[in-house]
Amino acid sequence: ALRTLQQQFTEVLRSFHDQRAEIQAMREEMNSVKRELQSERKKIIELQGNVSDLNDLRSTVESNNRERIKLQNATSVLQEATTKLQVDSSLLNQSSNELHKKSSELAV
């Protein structure tokens, strides 16, 4: 009977040690998975930062495009004004020449 109890105790003890080893292996696996998850979280945070940076850049590009269009419109208006001034200057020169001619005729 004592021998049977010793054998049962030995089996229970062996089973206990086996279960402890399994639990330890499971803990190690869990810790490994936790590390992987932390690494993935860091990557996700980096990607979110990249997305935010890209959105900022897109906003800047859109703003720059609006400003470029305004500048193009202003340049067009300036070109039209310059052309009008050239025409006006030409007309003034013609008028001045005619007045000078008439003045010369009257002086004679």
Side-chain angles (χ1 to χ4, degrees):
L2 185 57
R3 185 174 274 293
T4 303
L5 280 176
Q6 284 178 332
Q7 285 177 341
Q8 287 176 344
F9 178 76
T10 302
E11 287 175 20
V12 168
L13 194 58
R14 187 177 300 125
S15 174
F16 174 76
H17 286 298
D18 290 346
Q19 288 177 354
R20 275 184 70 188
E22 286 178 28
I23 290 170
Q24 184 60 33
M26 292 169 97
R27 281 185 180 146
E28 289 172 6
E29 179 65 22
M30 223 171 58
N31 287 335
S32 174
V33 169
K34 282 182 183 178
R35 284 190 297 275
E36 287 179 30
L37 283 174
Q38 287 173 341
S39 175
E40 292 301 315
R41 282 187 189 123
K42 286 180 185 177
K43 289 177 186 176
I44 288 170
I45 290 169
E46 283 180 28
L47 289 173
Q48 287 171 337
N50 291 344
V51 167
S52 178
D53 291 346
L54 286 174
N55 285 335
D56 291 346
L57 285 173
R58 181 179 57 204
S59 177
T60 300
V61 166
E62 288 171 353
S63 176
N64 288 346
N65 283 338
R66 286 190 295 274
E67 291 301 315
R68 182 180 49 79
I69 290 168
K70 287 178 187 176
L71 286 172
Q72 286 174 336
N73 291 339
T75 299
S76 178
V77 167
L78 284 172
Q79 287 173 338
E80 290 174 18
T82 300
T83 301
K84 188 175 184 303
L85 283 173
Q86 288 172 340
V87 169
D88 289 349
S89 175
S90 177
L91 290 173
L92 278 174
N93 280 337
Q94 286 177 356
S95 295
S96 176
N97 287 341
E98 288 177 18
L99 279 173
H100 189 53
K101 183 178 177 185
K102 287 184 180 182
S103 175
S104 294
E105 288 174 1
L106 286 174
V108 173

